[in-house]
Amino acid sequence: MEPRLDPGHRTAGTAYDDYVGTRVLHGLVRTRTAEPTEHAFLVVTQVMELYFGLICFEWRHAQQAIRGDDVPDALAALRRSVQHMTALNASWLSLRGLTPHRFTSFRGAFGEASGFQSYAYRHLEFLLGLKSAAMVRPHRRSGDVYDELVAALHAPSLYDDALALLDRRGYHVPREVLKRDLSAPYQPSEAVERAWLEVYRVEEPTGGELFQLAEVLVDIAEEFTDWRHRHLASVRRSLGAKPGTGGSSGLAWLERSLQRPVFPELFSARTHM
């Protein structure tokens, strides 16, 4: 005989619910207007935040592997991150139909909130070597988040760890590059360009580990550039040249950000190959 359930009794949920936290996740989708496209905007934004955190996790794992000279493990993490970035970039498709009228009908409801304030995205940029002390200041009242970003600002980027590995493997990287102020934006170096040229000359024919590292870093740089272009296109379509929320300059800021390359010598070296 099956037990009778008390109508007032609520189960704790399935094992899937407990593991994934589905109730928590769906409960976090709290729109502020009756505009139906706000739901998609909020969900996509939340999904992107999760991807930022996942990508940062993979890159930090890769950094630890590189520091321990476990290049295969680092390559596996970096290749996973490329797949995550491809999925992240595809998220913009859900916002393709967001017209100016639709967007402005709920934009005012989130006040000064802006993607400019995303600490996970800022951490992602710092890991790429796009350092800026000014980008930490908006989080100074956020406790642990602020401390985490300050630590990331002064810590080696993914590229810094890759260059240190090159030097350990006998491809000369100047001391002024390896011992530079890590909180400052990375500046391209002709000596680093020559080091990557040598990596390709020596290791590409045999598919060496450092050649593979160079190529996956190029993949990451391309995916990140794709992210920037898609973000710019989405803002241009839904907002035009209006000022951004949270004090940003909107479209103009995004256009300027496109001029800040990551892993620059991996691309400049190709001119000489």
Side-chain angles (χ1 to χ4, degrees), residues 140-155:
R140 60 188 179 276
R141 298 179 182 176
S142 301
D144 292 347
V145 166
Y146 178 77
D147 293 341
E148 178 184 322
L149 285 177
V150 169
L153 178 69
H154 293 278

Side-chain angles (χ1 to χ4, degrees), residues 173-194:
V173 176
R175 182 176 175 81
E176 58 265 27
V177 173
L178 296 174
K179 300 298 181 181
R180 66 188 182 82
D181 177 6
L182 296 177
S183 68
Y186 180 82
Q187 298 299 322
S189 160
E190 290 184 1
V192 170
E193 181 182 273
R194 289 193 294 271

